[in-house]
């Protein structure tokens, strides 16, 4: 593949606006565009014409089936395939696809998570076409992005709330912009998710039960070399990985995904792909596709792509840096500082709204990234802490501090300026350094939410970001729309709100132990585990926020509460069962076999050399015997703790038991097993080691 043909093949498998204009009658395209831009329902006749053109195009791409492609609350995607064939009287078939089939489908909803709100026999669910996201051909099927809801109208997916939150943010942003005299008609959020991942050899992967069952290693002693030499980060990419990345790019580009950056990450065998920004809805769809394609392409190259947040202990885990911004239909980035007093006043108001939103909703942001896998990563040496704070950079912090304190801003060039709406200082772009320890960092014209886990759908975090900002803007608009002196009241509001939410600003080292104490002093939340976070979810202020904006109903929130806790316990249940199997079927038998052979060698040496002390063998046997007994004891404790956790009452009580009792028991068992591993002879290893997994490609 040469550079010359990339523009030609980019988006070749996507039914995008260029294709629509070519294949649809002018009036049909105009009606569809109105639906896409303004949400106006399609007439059935128009839908039929769109469906027919879509089918003809898909068939030309080799498709024989269509599927409503949706994102249930499992966090992955779902699809049910139907062929285009319809019977003819003569026993043959014709290819047909109607507007009705395009717009709505009816998959079985009984086996998707619903939080216990519906009985199994209440199986009906509906998929509804999302015309703001482009259809595409994948393998033999036309994939139609859809929302997914229950028979009674509740959202059963991640797309619907995201679309609702985007619309809510649009509405509230336009209220604010109108006060500044803007002529913008639409505001949307844009997203660029940096995707980290590991690639390991497939043959080695198949020899590890923990990787196959849980996506992460439950055991593994530290290799003699890890990432301490910093020689992996941005290093030359190995030939086998280059071939993988070439094919990955080709597939992503064909699906219209803006795969832009690729490089080695910090840990051995870790890599990153970063796309160009696009609207949040499309970015969420494309990131789900990206994760799916990453895994498929890896298998074709004899590798496995690991998207777990912490597949290996002792080296960096994987995140998905959620680069989030907001822009008008006129191309104005509302998080970009401006050159005029008006532009800077507007920028500062939106920035202040972010401070307010994040400070008042630390719990919701932490909840949006909470998972069993991500709990292992957050707070480790490569990830931001579980404590939510905002990094602004020194210069922007100084500007806000001067507003808060009512003092002149002293710029780097020593030009003193008073801070007022009419004489706000010019705020330079990209004047901030990067702070990789911050969970939420301003990076010049966007915010980088660094706490998102690599395997998570970005729909949840972005639904939360859009919603909390919309709610803050709503409160500001309610106040400023009543103002009789806009400039004065705006200045007072900005100063008041910066002061009220100053505690959320932190430019320091989030890894430092002192930050935990400082954050506690400031009154910031430290929600270390998913159950800790979910304890906050149904707080009345959270229910009020989401229901007033129309993003979630209270019923939907209660469903999500149950689903998150149930999934957390379910994942840990699988991990414990896998761990116990590996101890009893792999690790202990390997230790016993090695001890037996060492014991035989002692006897053989003494038979040949009666005066021999065999100190080395006997010390090794003594140590292994003690560790084997300790591991058996730890496994027994783990099994009992696991059983007790499963017998707790509510979903929250079960999840808390796993977090507070089972996980520590798992860690204790692992510590002993990891002490045994380096003592075993090479041929006695029960499964591939970290050294094998991380340095085999």
């Amino acid at each position: 593949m040469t550079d010359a043909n990339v523009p030609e093949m980019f988006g070749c498998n996507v039914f995008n606006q260029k294709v629509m204009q070519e294949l649809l009658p002018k009036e049909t395209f105009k009606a569809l565009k109105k639906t896409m831009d303004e949400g106006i329902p399609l007439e059935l006749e128009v839908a039929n014409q769109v469906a027919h053109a879509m089918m003809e195009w898909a068939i030309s791409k080799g498709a024989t089936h269509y599927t409503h492609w949706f994102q249930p609350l499992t966090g992955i995607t779902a699809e049910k395939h139907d062929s285009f064939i319809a019977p003819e009287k003569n026993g043959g078939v014709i290819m047909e696809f109607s507007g009705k089939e395009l717009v709505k489908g009816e998959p079985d909803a009984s086996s998707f998570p619903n939080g216990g709100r519906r009985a199994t026999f209440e199986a009906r669910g509906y998929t509804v076409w999302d015309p703001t996201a482009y259809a595409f051909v994948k393998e033999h099927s036309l994939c139609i992005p859809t929302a997914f809801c229950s028979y009674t109208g509740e959202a059963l997916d991640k797309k619907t709330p995201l679309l609702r939150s985007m619309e809510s943010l649009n509405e509230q942003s336009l209220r604010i912009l109108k006060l500044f005299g803007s002529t913008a008609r639409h505001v949307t959020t844009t997203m660029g998710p940096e995707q980290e991942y590991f690639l390991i050899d497939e043959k080695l992967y198949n020899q590890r039960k923990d990787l196959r069952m849980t996506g992460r290693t439950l055991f593994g002693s530290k290799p003699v070399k890890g990432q301490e030499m910093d020689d992996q980060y941005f290093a030359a990419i190995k030939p086998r990985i280059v071939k993988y990345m070439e094919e990955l790019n080709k597939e992503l580009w064909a699906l219209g995904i803006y795969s832009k950056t690729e490089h080695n990450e910090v840990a051995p065998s870790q890599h990153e792909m970063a796309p160009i920004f696009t609207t949040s809805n499309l970015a969420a769809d494309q990131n789900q596709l990206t994760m799916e394609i990453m895994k498929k392409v890896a298998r074709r190259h004899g590798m496995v792509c690991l998207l777990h947040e912490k597949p290996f202990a002792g080296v960096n885990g994987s995140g998905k840096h959620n680069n989030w911004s907001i822009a008008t239909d006129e191309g104005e980035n509302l998080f970009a500082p401006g050159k005029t007093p008006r532009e800077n006043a507007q920028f500062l108001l939106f920035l202040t709204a972010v401070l307010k939103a994040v400070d008042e909703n630390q719990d919701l942001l932490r909840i949006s990234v909470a998972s069993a896998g991500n709990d292992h990563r957050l707070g480790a040496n490569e990830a931001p802490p579980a404590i939510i704070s905002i990094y602004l950079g020194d210069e922007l912090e100084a500007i806000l501090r001067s507003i808060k304190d009512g003092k002149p801003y002293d710029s780097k060039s020593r030009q003193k300026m008073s801070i007022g709406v009419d004489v706000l200082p010019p705020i330079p772009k990209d004047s901030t350094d990067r702070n990789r320890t911050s969970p939420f960092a301003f990076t010049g014209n966007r915010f980088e939410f660094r706490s998102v886990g690599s395997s998570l759908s970005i729909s949840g975090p972005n639904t939360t970001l859009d919603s909390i900002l919309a709610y803050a803007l709503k409160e500001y608009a309610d106040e400023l729309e009543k103002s009789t002196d806009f400039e004065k009241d705006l200045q007072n509001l900005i100063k008041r709100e910066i002061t009220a939410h100053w505690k959320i600003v932190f430019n320091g080292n989030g890894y430092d132990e002192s930050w935990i104490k400082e954050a506690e002093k400031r009154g910031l939340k430290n929600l270390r585990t998913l159950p800790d976070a979910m304890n906050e979810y149904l707080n009345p202020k959270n229910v009020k926020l989401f229901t007033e904006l129309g993003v979630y109903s209270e019923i939907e929130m209660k469903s999500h509460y149950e689903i998150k806790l149930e999934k957390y316990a379910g994942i840990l249940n699988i991990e414990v069962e896998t761990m116990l199997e590996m101890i009893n079927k792999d690790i202990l038998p390997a230790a016993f076999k090695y001890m037996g052979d060492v014991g035989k060698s002692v006897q053989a040496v003494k038979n040949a050399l009666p005066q021999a002390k065999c100190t080395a063998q006997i010390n090794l046997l003594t140590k292994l015997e003690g560790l084997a007994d300790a591991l058996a004891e730890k496994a027994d404790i783990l099994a009992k703790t696991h059983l007790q956790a499963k017998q707790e009452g509510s979903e929250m009580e079960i999840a808390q038991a796993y977090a507070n009792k089972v996980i520590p028991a798992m860690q204790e068992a692992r510590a002993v097993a990891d002490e045994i591993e380096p003592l075993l002879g090479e041929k006695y290893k029960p499964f591939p080691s970290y050294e094998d997994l991380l340095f085999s490609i």
Side-chain angles (χ1 to χ4, degrees):
M1 181 177 64
T2 64
D3 291 340
N5 63 19
V6 172
E8 185 180 329
M9 58 91 69
F10 186 85
C12 64
N13 289 332
V14 183
F15 193 75
N16 53 30
Q17 287 195 42
K18 181 181 176 184
V19 176
M20 293 175 200
Q21 275 187 297
E22 289 174 359
L23 299 182
L24 293 172
K26 188 174 180 181
E27 289 305 311
T28 303
F29 175 73
K30 189 176 177 183
L32 178 58
K33 191 77 169 62
K34 207 168 181 64
T35 295
M36 293 168 67
D37 295 342
E38 301 174 30
I40 295 170
L42 274 184
E43 297 290 334
L44 182 58
E45 180 55 35
V46 174
N48 282 331
Q49 291 177 16
V50 173
H52 182 74
M54 201 180 277
M55 179 193 72
E56 292 288 330
W57 170 82
I59 290 172
S60 75
K61 297 288 178 183
T64 55
H65 290 65
Y66 70 92
T67 178
H68 277 191
W69 185 80
F70 57 102
Q71 300 173 38
L73 296 170
T74 54
I76 56 176
T77 58
E79 47 197 67
K80 181 189 79 170
H81 299 253
D82 289 295
S83 70
F84 290 121
I85 66 168
E88 276 197 314
K89 291 180 182 178
N90 63 5
V93 296
I94 59 171
M95 305 294 265
E96 110 183 343
F97 183 49
S98 69
K100 185 178 177 183
E101 290 168 317
L102 166 64
V103 171
K104 190 170 81 171
E106 189 181 335
D108 182 343
S110 62
S111 296
F112 289 111
N114 60 68
R117 303 295 152 194
R118 308 178 68 225
T120 301
F121 62 83
E122 297 174 317
R124 189 168 297 219
Y126 294 106
T127 48
V128 182
W129 177 37
D130 171 17
T132 65
Y134 300 132
F136 55 92
V137 168
K138 179 166 67 81
E139 295 162 349
H140 68 283
S141 291
L142 169 67
C143 297
I144 303 157
T146 57
F148 181 46
C149 62
S150 73
Y151 179 70
T152 50
E154 287 95 13
L156 293 174
D157 68 341
K158 291 181 175 289
K159 175 183 276 280
T160 304
L162 178 59
L163 291 171
R164 292 170 180 168
S165 70
M166 291 172 70
E167 183 49 43
S168 180
L169 183 55
N170 168 57
E171 180 185 342
Q172 302 307 327
S173 297
L174 288 177
R175 289 177 67 191
I176 294 293
L177 291 174
K178 186 177 179 183
L179 295 170
F180 285 93
S182 171
T183 57
R185 293 181 301 172
H186 193 78
V187 169
T188 190
T189 53
T190 57
M191 248 297 300
E194 302 168 28
Q195 180 71 57
E196 295 176 338
Y197 60 99
F198 280 84
L199 290 173
I200 62 171
D201 189 270
E202 186 175 16
K203 290 177 183 175
L204 299 178
Y205 168 88
N206 288 332
Q207 296 173 51
R208 296 272 318 208
K209 185 188 290 282
D210 48 4
L211 284 175
R212 288 186 285 111
M213 294 296 105
T214 73
R216 76 179 183 105
T217 54
L218 300 174
F219 301 101
S221 63
K222 187 179 178 182
V224 293
K225 179 180 184 292
Q227 62 188 52
E228 61 275 4
M229 300 303 294
D230 295 325
D231 54 352
Q232 159 77 2
Y233 193 50
F234 281 21
I237 302 170
K238 295 176 182 176
R240 190 173 174 188
I241 306 300
V242 168
K243 289 180 181 177
Y244 165 80
M245 288 179 170
E246 284 177 351
E247 186 175 348
L248 176 64
N249 283 332
K250 186 176 179 181
E251 292 228 6
L252 294 178
W253 290 338
L255 287 167
I257 297 171
Y258 299 101
S259 176
K260 175 72 172 176
T261 303
E262 57 192 26
H263 62 83
N264 289 346
E265 256 299 337
V266 176
S269 291
Q270 189 184 31
H271 312 279
E272 180 179 294
M273 187 284 285
I276 297 172
F277 275 60
T278 188
T279 58
S280 295
N281 178 32
L282 198 54
D285 283 0
Q286 291 184 346
N287 185 247
Q288 292 296 118
L289 269 176
T290 296
M291 291 190 287
E292 177 188 328
I293 293 166
M294 279 179 164
K295 291 178 180 179
K296 286 181 179 177
V297 173
R299 293 282 187 170
R300 292 180 210 147
H301 290 260
M303 297 183 291
V304 173
C305 175
L306 300 179
L307 293 173
H308 193 284
E309 285 73 21
K310 194 72 174 175
F312 302 101
V315 299
N316 280 13
S318 296
K320 181 149 44 192
H321 301 168
N322 192 93
N323 292 286
W324 174 70
S325 193
I326 176 172
T328 71
D329 58 337
E330 296 175 338
E332 182 182 13
N333 183 337
L334 300 176
F335 289 156
K339 295 178 181 177
T340 67
R342 176 210 158 270
E343 288 171 337
N344 276 331
Q346 180 181 289
F347 162 73
L348 285 171
L349 184 63
F350 274 90
L351 180 65
T352 303
V354 173
L355 296 185
K356 173 184 174 69
V358 174
D359 183 24
E360 293 181 351
N361 300 285
Q362 303 161 46
D363 52 351
L364 288 178
L365 284 176
R366 176 65 180 93
I367 288 162
S368 76
V369 298
S371 71
N374 212 22
D375 280 0
H376 292 296
R377 185 183 75 99
L378 293 177
N381 283 343
E382 81 290 347
I387 302 164
I388 299 294
S389 63
I390 294 180
Y391 169 82
L392 294 175
D394 293 340
E395 189 158 12
L396 190 54
E397 183 190 9
I399 290 170
L400 295 195
R401 188 185 293 277
S402 67
I403 296 172
K404 174 177 76 75
D405 296 342
K407 295 178 180 178
Y409 167 62
D410 190 0
S411 73
K412 288 179 179 177
S413 60
R414 297 297 179 193
Q415 281 187 309
K416 292 187 177 180
M417 291 184 173
S418 62
I419 304 297
V421 171
D422 55 338
V423 285
L424 281 170
I427 301 171
K429 294 182 180 180
D430 257 349
S431 63
T432 63
D433 193 2
R434 293 196 67 186
N435 185 336
R436 63 195 298 272
T437 74
S438 175
F440 200 77
F442 183 70
T443 56
N445 60 3
R446 64 186 184 274
F447 284 93
E448 185 180 24
F449 189 19
R450 301 186 71 254
S451 301
V452 183
S454 55
S455 70
L456 298 182
S457 163
I458 60 172
S459 292
N462 283 286
T463 296
T464 298
L465 285 171
D466 292 354
S467 299
I468 64 175
L469 179 57
Y471 201 76
L473 293 173
K474 176 180 180 296
E475 292 188 349
Y476 288 176
D478 288 345
E479 179 178 340
L480 292 172
E481 283 171 350
K482 298 171 187 172
S483 172
T484 54
D485 187 341
F486 177 69
E487 290 195 359
K488 180 182 176 184
D489 291 340
L490 174 64
Q491 183 173 354
N492 290 338
L493 184 150
I494 289 174
K495 180 176 180 178
R496 181 194 75 209
E497 291 296 295
I498 291 172
T499 304
H501 303 292
W502 190 250
K503 68 178 183 290
I504 202 69
V505 177
F506 178 64
N507 280 1
N509 182 3
Y511 295 165
D512 199 299
E513 284 294 315
S514 64
W515 169 231
I516 296 174
K517 294 176 184 175
E518 169 66 21
E520 189 177 357
K521 253 193 244 179
R522 295 187 185 194
L524 303 184
K525 297 177 187 291
N526 188 4
L527 305 172
R528 294 174 181 272
T529 68
L530 181 142
D532 291 341
M534 292 309 294
N535 251 333
E536 310 276 330
Y537 186 54
L538 295 177
N539 184 306
K541 69 102 177 166
N542 294 336
V543 175
K544 182 173 184 283
L545 184 149
F546 282 128
T547 55
E548 279 192 12
L549 293 176
V551 174
Y552 295 121
S553 68
E554 189 169 356
I555 290 175
E556 289 168 346
M557 290 184 70
K558 287 177 178 176
S559 295
H560 297 166
Y561 173 84
E562 296 290 340
I563 289 166
K564 274 229 178 194
L565 292 171
E566 187 179 325
K567 184 175 181 181
Y568 179 81
I571 287 170
L572 286 166
N573 175 72
I574 293 168
E575 289 190 354
V576 173
E577 298 286 350
T578 304
M579 191 172 233
L580 291 171
E581 276 204 18
M582 291 177 74
I583 290 171
N584 294 321
K585 293 182 179 180
D586 298 321
I587 300 170
L588 286 176
F592 297 152
K593 177 83 166 67
Y594 188 45
M595 283 191 287
D597 287 354
V598 172
K600 288 175 187 175
S601 79
V602 171
Q603 194 60 50
V605 170
K606 289 205 170 187
N607 287 341
L609 195 64
Q611 70 272 28
K613 294 181 181 179
C614 297
T615 305
Q617 294 101 311
I618 290 170
N619 285 346
L620 177 61
L621 279 172
T622 303
K623 188 168 186 179
L624 276 172
E625 189 271 338
L627 288 170
D629 283 351
L631 181 56
E633 183 184 343
K634 296 295 184 187
D636 187 49
I637 293 169
L638 175 58
K640 288 175 182 173
T641 309
H642 175 44
L643 182 61
Q644 289 167 358
K646 291 200 292 186
Q647 293 172 344
E648 293 286 349
S650 68
E651 292 290 351
M652 175 57 80
E653 289 168 331
I654 292 170
Q656 286 175 329
Y658 272 107
N660 301 326
K661 297 176 182 178
V662 175
I663 289 178
M666 292 171 70
Q667 291 168 339
E668 288 183 15
R670 175 176 183 155
V672 179
D674 288 356
E675 206 174 335
I676 290 174
E677 183 187 333
L679 298 177
L680 300 178
E682 185 68 20
K683 72 175 185 178
Y684 296 87
K685 289 193 309 186
F687 35 69
S689 67
Y690 271 25
E691 184 178 331
D692 299 325
L693 294 167
L694 292 171
F695 295 96
S696 62
I697 295 175

